[in-house]
Amino acid sequence: MTETANKLIVVVLDGLRYDAARKYLGYMEHLVEQGQLSCYKVQSELPSLSRPLYEVLLTGIPVSRNGITANHIVRLSREQSVFHLAVAANLRTAAAAYHWVSELYSSAPFHPVADRHQHNVLKPIQHGSFYFEDHYPDSHVFADAEYLRAAYDPHFLYIHTMNIDDAGHRHGGESKEYEMAVRRVDGLLATLLPQWMEQGYTVLVTADHGMNANGCHGGVTPAERHVPLYAFGEKVLSPEQEIQALPQLRLAPLMCYCLGIQPSAAMTKEGLPPIVPAIPRQEEAAKGTESNSLA
C-alpha cells in the first residue's frame, strides 16, 4: 500500500444539477466512458438549500434533526461531522471552501480578516482557506486547495466551489452562463484529477443541490434536487445503486468508508461494506515495528 492509500479528496460543486453534469463535464464523462470513474445520481435532502445541505453532506443527519434548517442559521454544528471523526482517528483535515463551512465546523460567525486562513490542529478543520464572495473564482479555490494539500498533507481534503451556483442564480440553471461555469470547472478537474489519481487518492465529486431554470433552488423538483456523484477509487456502491437515485444521507458514511474510519452512530450504514481500518502511515508503521523489536 502507498502512503496515500486512505486519503480522500471530496469536491463539492455548489449548485451543479445532475443533467448539466452529464452533458457538460466532458472530461469527467470521458473517464466514465473509460471505466475509470463511476457516476451516480444523488437526490438531495430537503430543503435543497446550501447551508442545510453542507451539514447533511458532512454529518449524514437530516435537517429535522441537525437543526440547520435554512441558510440564515449561523452557528457551529452540533453533530459529529466527517471532520470531527477524522481528527478523532488521528487523521489530518483541510478545507478550501465557502465561509459557511467554516461557520459550521470551525468558527461562527465568520470574520473575513481573522478567519480567512485558519490553522489549528485542535479544531475539526485543522487547516482551512475560506472565501466569502460567491464570485471568488473556482480556479482560486482549487489553487488554495492545492496549497493546503502540498503544505499540510491532509488525509481528508474538502474542496467547495461557488461559481456554478452564482451563475445559476444570476442567469438561471439553463442559461449559457450556467453552462459555461460547468464547462470551466471541468477544465480545472481535467488539470488536477490526473495528479490525484496517480498519487492514489480516493476522489468523490458531487454537489449540494441543483438549480432550476429561474435561478432558484430549495424546493422539490428534480432540477433542484438531483445532483451527480463521481467516484474514483475502490468501487463501494452496488450495480443496483447505479440505477436509482442515492439518498444524500449516504455520502457522509461513504466518506468515512473511504477514509477507513467508523461512521458516527447517527449515520446510516445502509449500502456500505464493512469499514476497513486505515492503513498506518509509513513512519507510524516503522515506529510500531521498532516498539515490537524492543519488547
Side-chain angles (χ1 to χ4, degrees):
M1 284 287 184
T2 66
E3 192 172 339
T4 57
N6 282 338
K7 289 185 179 177
L8 172 65
I9 296 174
V10 172
V11 180
V12 176
L13 305 174
D14 203 296
L16 177 61
R17 49 195 272 180
Y18 176 79
D19 58 350
R22 302 311 304 262
K23 286 191 291 186
Y24 306 135
L25 291 180
Y27 173 70
M28 301 294 283
E29 289 296 315
H30 162 69
L31 295 181
V32 172
E33 285 189 355
Q34 294 297 309
Q36 297 185 52
L37 283 183
S38 300
C39 185
Y40 310 91
K41 181 186 292 184
V42 173
Q43 179 161 291
S44 80
E45 284 289 293
L46 292 172
S48 52
L49 296 170
S50 292
R51 195 188 299 253
L53 296 183
Y54 301 166
E55 176 79 335
V56 165
L57 280 167
L58 284 159
T59 69
I61 310 298
V63 167
S64 59
R65 288 168 51 196
N66 68 44
I68 306 296
T69 57
N71 284 340
H72 64 266
I73 306 298
V74 179
R75 65 163 173 81
L76 288 173
S77 171
R78 296 168 184 162
E79 309 296 335
Q80 287 292 299
S81 72
V82 180
F83 290 118
H84 290 87
L85 297 169
V87 170
N90 295 317
L91 302 183
R92 291 181 299 277
T93 64
Y98 195 56
H99 68 287
W100 290 0
V101 176
S102 171
E103 289 180 327
L104 283 168
Y105 308 111
S106 187
S107 179
F110 182 85
H111 298 287
V113 175
D115 297 333
R116 172 81 168 94
H117 300 290
Q118 301 177 37
H119 302 284
N120 187 335
V121 296
L122 300 180
K123 287 193 173 185
I125 302 177
Q126 296 175 323
H127 305 284
S129 179
F130 300 101
Y131 59 99
F132 45 90
E133 293 176 337
D134 294 16
H135 59 274
Y136 185 73
D138 288 353
S139 59
H140 291 36
V141 179
F142 280 104
D144 293 340
E146 279 295 278
Y147 167 76
L148 292 172
R149 190 174 72 88
Y152 300 103
D153 190 26
H155 299 87
F156 178 42
L157 175 60
Y158 191 80
I159 306 172
H160 168 243
T161 67
M162 284 292 287
N163 288 175
I164 295 171
D165 182 78
D166 187 45
H169 284 306
R170 292 173 184 270
H171 305 285
E174 296 176 6
S175 64
K176 174 183 177 181
E177 291 82 0
Y178 181 85
E179 175 184 333
M180 290 306 298
V182 178
R183 292 183 184 274
R184 281 194 294 270
V185 86
D186 186 62
L188 296 170
L189 289 168
T191 302
L192 294 171
L193 194 56
Q195 301 175 38
W196 300 341
M197 294 164 64
E198 183 178 354
Q199 293 178 34
Y201 287 87
T202 298
V203 182
L204 303 176
V205 179
T206 189
D208 49 351
H209 55 73
M211 183 74 62
N212 71 14
N214 295 324
C216 298
H217 57 86
V220 302
T221 66
E224 297 169 82
R225 295 190 73 181
H226 287 171
V227 299
L229 170 62
Y230 292 92
F232 170 76
E234 186 175 359
K235 192 176 180 67
V236 297
L237 300 174
S238 68
E240 294 78 16
Q241 292 170 317
E242 297 181 20
I243 300 172
Q244 304 172 4
L246 294 169
Q248 197 171 41
L249 294 173
R250 291 191 187 178
L251 268 63
L254 175 60
M255 295 177 202
C256 292
Y257 172 83
C258 294
L259 286 166
I261 61 178
Q262 290 292 336
S264 73
M267 291 179 184
T268 180
K269 314 301 186 296
E270 183 180 356
L272 287 178
I275 300 297
V276 178
I279 303 298
R281 294 174 56 79
Q282 290 178 356
E283 61 268 26
E284 293 165 351
K287 290 179 182 178
T289 303
E290 182 179 358
S291 297
N292 291 336
S293 66
L294 297 175

